[in-house]
Amino acid sequence: NAGVTQTPKFQVLKTGQSMTLQCAQDMNHNSMYWYRQDPGMGLRLIYYSASEGTTDKGEVPNGYNVSRLNKREFSLRLESAAPSQTSVYFCASTGQGLRTDTQYFGPGTRLTVL
Amino acid sequence: AQSVAQPEDQVNVAEGNPLTVKCTYSVSGNPYLFWYVQYPNRGLQFLLKYITGDNLVKGSYGFEAEFNKSQTSFHLKKPSALVSDSALYFCAVRDGGGSSNTGKLIFGQGTTLQVKP
C-alpha cells in the first residue's frame, strides 16, 4: 500500500508557464483534496472532490483547475503560473465515512515560480 | 463559520518534561477535531482525533489530547517530550462539524515544537 503519492516532488516554473500536479491514492477512498501550505498560514484548501465525477472549489481556487480522472487520481493544473503560487502543495484523501474518517496526505510538491 | 486557532507559533520544552500545544476552535454543531504532525520536508501525519466519547483521546507516539467543550479547546499533550518530537503540529476541525458531507478540514496555522536535549 503506497497510500497517497504525488508527482513531481519539486518543480521550478517561469511566470506564465503551465503544469499539472499529479496525485493518486490506492486506498479506495471516495474523497480527495488539494491544499497549499504557506509559512504561517497553515494549509488552505484549493479544490476538493467529494466523490468520483464531482469537484468543488475550496478556500483559494483562483488560478487553479482540477480533474478527478477516476477514483484513484486527482490532478491539479496551473494554467499560467504566477509567483504568488510558489508554495508546497499537498494532496489528501479520505474514505467512506466523511464525517469521521481521517485524511491521509501525500509527501507534497514544492513549487517555485520565478 | 468554523475556525481553529493555535495561539503559539512556537513551543520550547526540555527533553523529559511534559509538553502542551494549544488549540481552540469555533464550530456550529458537534466538533470533529484532529491533530497532525509534519516533520521537515514531509507530508502531514495523523496523530489523533476526537469525534465523540471520552474527553481524553490517545494517539500515536505517546501523544494525547484533551477535549474541553466549555473552553472550546483541544490541547495536545505528552507526559515526557523527546527530541524526536520536534516538528510542526497542526490542529484541524471538520468543516461543518457532524453535518458535513464533504470531509473538508480547516487547519490552524501550526505550532513549531522544539524539544531541547
Side-chain angles (χ1 to χ4, degrees), chain B residues 5-14 16-24 35 47-48 56 62-68 71 73-82 85 87 89-91 110-115:
Chain B
Q6 294 180 243
E8 301 154 317
D9 288 337
Q10 181 156 326
V11 170
N12 297 310
V13 64
N17 282 359
L19 69 87
T20 299
V21 182
K22 294 180 181 176
C23 171
T24 59
W35 275 102
L47 277 179
L48 51 81
L56 187 63
F63 283 93
E64 56 191 27
E66 187 170 11
F67 171 68
N68 187 317
Q71 297 188 2
S73 66
F74 189 56
H75 300 332
L76 182 70
K77 300 183 179 186
K78 188 173 182 182
S80 178
L82 299 172
D85 292 330
Y89 290 80
F90 289 99
C91 183
T111 298
T112 299
L113 173 66
Q114 191 80 269
V115 182

Side-chain angles (χ1 to χ4, degrees), chain B residues 16-115:
Chain B
N17 282 359
L19 69 87
T20 299
V21 182
K22 294 180 181 176
C23 171
T24 59
Y25 65 89
S26 174
V27 300
S28 55
N30 295 324
Y32 290 0
L33 298 156
F34 300 78
W35 275 102
Y36 285 84
V37 59
Q38 184 181 32
Y39 297 101
N41 302 313
R42 304 287 295 275
L44 276 70
Q45 294 179 33
F46 168 73
L47 277 179
L48 51 81
K49 65 183 177 184
Y50 172 83
I51 303 298
T52 187
D54 288 341
N55 290 343
L56 187 63
V57 180
K58 293 191 184 297
S60 305
Y61 311 123
F63 283 93
E64 56 191 27
E66 187 170 11
F67 171 68
N68 187 317
K69 188 171 183 178
S70 62
Q71 297 188 2
T72 61
S73 66
F74 189 56
H75 300 332
L76 182 70
K77 300 183 179 186
K78 188 173 182 182
S80 178
L82 299 172
V83 172
S84 57
D85 292 330
S86 299
L88 182 58
Y89 290 80
F90 289 99
C91 183
V93 63
R94 174 81 79 223
D95 192 12
S99 63
S100 170
N101 62 355
T102 66
K104 292 190 290 180
L105 291 178
I106 297 171
F107 285 86
Q109 73 272 29
T111 298
T112 299
L113 173 66
Q114 191 80 269
V115 182

